[in-house]
Amino acid sequence: MKFDLFLKSMDMGHCHDQKQREALFDLVLFLIVADGVITEQESEFMHKWLDTIEWNADLSKEEYYTTTLIKCYAAIKTDTVEDYLTHRAKLLIDEDMKQQAMQLVRDVAIADDELDAAEQQAIDLLSELLEK
């Protein structure tokens, strides 16, 4: 009985929070690489941001960054962007996290003063998924 309560509290506490932080990071990183290129400035921004995120995961932040970057490029290369974004968006369960995600991806997409077609498609899909 106590073990069941422990599992429930884990699922409703730190695990969800960490998964949401990861999903938020993943979505923003995807928007940065959606055009197929990540600049040094963008990489530096994401690393600095990741350094500020509370982290309770088995992977180090640097390992997570590298793994996520590979997943983003793989989704683009294998034409599974919709599946990748849908999966990550579903991990955002708090309304404020959903709103923060939408604001961040929009800000990131227009930060370089160019809105690539792939970025627009990603924003449109995320808008559909998160702003229901």
Side-chain angles (χ1 to χ4, degrees), residues 31-32 34-35 39 42 105-120 123:
L31 257 290
I32 286 178
D35 61 3
T39 66
E42 291 168 331
V105 296
R106 286 181 176 125
D107 290 348
V108 164
I110 61 170
D112 61 0
D113 294 325
E114 293 181 31
L115 188 58
D116 182 87
E119 292 170 326
Q120 185 62 58
I123 290 171

Side-chain angles (χ1 to χ4, degrees), residues 49-118:
W49 181 37
L50 186 57
D51 285 342
T52 68
I53 297 174
E54 182 182 338
W55 203 252
N56 300 312
D58 292 336
L59 286 178
S60 72
K61 289 179 179 181
E62 188 57 36
E63 290 171 321
Y64 188 81
Y65 178 90
T66 302
T67 301
T68 302
L69 190 60
I70 291 168
K71 289 178 182 178
C72 290
Y73 280 123
I76 293 167
K77 186 175 182 178
T78 60
D79 199 28
T80 57
V81 169
E82 187 172 336
D83 292 339
Y84 179 79
L85 293 178
T86 300
H87 176 262
R88 303 316 292 164
K90 285 182 179 180
L91 294 174
L92 297 175
I93 54 175
D94 295 337
E95 202 55 44
D96 61 324
M97 288 294 278
K98 291 177 183 182
Q99 291 174 3
Q100 185 178 4
M102 283 310 305
Q103 187 61 50
L104 283 169
V105 296
R106 286 181 176 125
D107 290 348
V108 164
I110 61 170
D112 61 0
D113 294 325
E114 293 181 31
L115 188 58
D116 182 87

